[in-house]
Amino acid sequence: MDQLTEKEIEHFLSINKGWKLVDKKWIEKSYRFKEYLDGIAFVQKIARISEEANHHPFISIDYKLIKVRLTSWRAKGLTALDTSLAQQFDQTYEE
Amino acid sequence: MDQLTEKEIEHFLSINKGWKLVDKKWIEKSYRFKEYLDGIAFVQKIARISEEANHHPFISIDYKLIKVRLTSWRAKGLTALDTSLAQQFDQTYEE
């Protein structure tokens, strides 16, 4: 899968709130939850989505704050797989 | 709850494999899993234990590697609550 162009990344960031670019090759977002176990349930849901896509984010759990980072190792940068998962994570959070 | 003494921490580390001391105030361990979703299930189990104890570790998920860090903020260091949870996490992993 091809790397996204700078323009494509900018476009993604402009229409998907909360995501930021880190070290040019990661997109990162933090999700906050009212209850600790709600955050854990969210992790479980996005992990299932990631396993199905065979594309796994780096996830950290700092009490009620869940941070997610995506990149495509093979492409050495960001691909449509990352932005697609990012949007699925956002959708899961909104539910 | 009182901070553990250096001797108590050394004793804990000597009898509980894989745990290491970080910055004098954290104990940290990485758990490896054969399947991604097994690691996620482990996170869910230790999160439930942590919520019951009202004492929450920092957790990171890097594909099949789960890293856990414990400290007691109020005591500004390690307490028996940290070592107790650490041992419960180890037990959960062995199951």
Side-chain angles (χ1 to χ4, degrees):
Chain A
M1 197 172 281
D2 289 343
Q3 266 194 34
L4 297 176
T5 64
E6 276 187 37
K7 232 176 179 169
E8 286 170 325
I9 296 172
E10 271 174 35
H11 179 67
F12 167 82
L13 296 172
S14 70
I15 59 171
N16 294 280
K17 280 186 187 171
W19 289 94
K20 63 180 181 181
L21 189 65
V22 178
D23 290 341
K24 290 183 184 172
K25 61 180 177 194
W26 297 87
I27 45 173
E28 179 183 298
K29 183 168 179 172
S30 293
Y31 298 92
R32 190 169 282 284
F33 293 84
K34 283 190 185 165
E35 298 297 334
Y36 179 64
L37 293 180
D38 289 346
I40 300 298
F42 173 73
V43 167
Q44 233 202 330
K45 284 180 200 160
I46 66 171
R48 276 201 213 112
I49 293 168
S50 307
E51 181 69 358
E52 264 180 48
N54 194 25
H55 191 64
H56 306 84
F58 177 84
I59 304 171
S60 71
I61 304 168
D62 194 358
Y63 195 33
K64 298 176 183 176
L65 191 73
I66 310 293
K67 194 161 77 182
V68 175
R69 265 188 182 203
L70 283 158
T71 195
S72 296
W73 296 106
R74 284 190 197 172
K76 293 178 185 169
L78 292 163
T79 67
L81 202 49
D82 299 304
T83 50
S84 162
L85 274 187
Q87 286 172 326
Q88 289 179 67
F89 296 170
D90 279 356
Q91 211 176 339
T92 302
Y93 181 68
E94 279 158 27
E95 287 164 6
Chain B
M1 195 171 285
D2 288 344
Q3 264 195 34
L4 297 178
T5 64
E6 275 187 39
K7 233 178 178 166
E8 286 169 325
I9 296 171
E10 271 173 37
H11 179 67
F12 167 82
L13 296 172
S14 71
I15 59 170
N16 294 279
K17 281 187 186 169
W19 288 95
K20 63 179 182 181
L21 188 66
V22 177
D23 291 342
K24 290 183 184 174
K25 61 179 177 194
W26 297 87
I27 45 173
E28 179 183 299
K29 183 168 180 173
S30 292
Y31 299 91
R32 190 169 282 284
F33 293 84
K34 283 191 185 165
E35 298 297 333
Y36 179 65
L37 293 181
D38 289 347
I40 300 299
F42 174 74
V43 167
Q44 234 202 329
K45 284 180 199 159
I46 65 171
R48 276 200 213 111
I49 293 168
S50 307
E51 181 70 356
E52 264 179 47
N54 194 24
H55 191 65
H56 306 84
F58 178 83
I59 303 172
S60 71
I61 304 169
D62 194 356
Y63 195 34
K64 298 175 183 177
L65 191 73
I66 310 292
K67 194 160 79 181
V68 175
R69 267 188 181 202
L70 284 158
T71 195
S72 295
W73 295 107
R74 283 191 197 172
K76 292 178 186 169
L78 292 163
T79 67
L81 201 49
D82 298 304
T83 51
S84 161
L85 273 188
Q87 286 171 327
Q88 290 179 67
F89 295 169
D90 280 354
Q91 210 176 339
T92 303
Y93 182 67
E94 279 157 27
E95 288 163 4

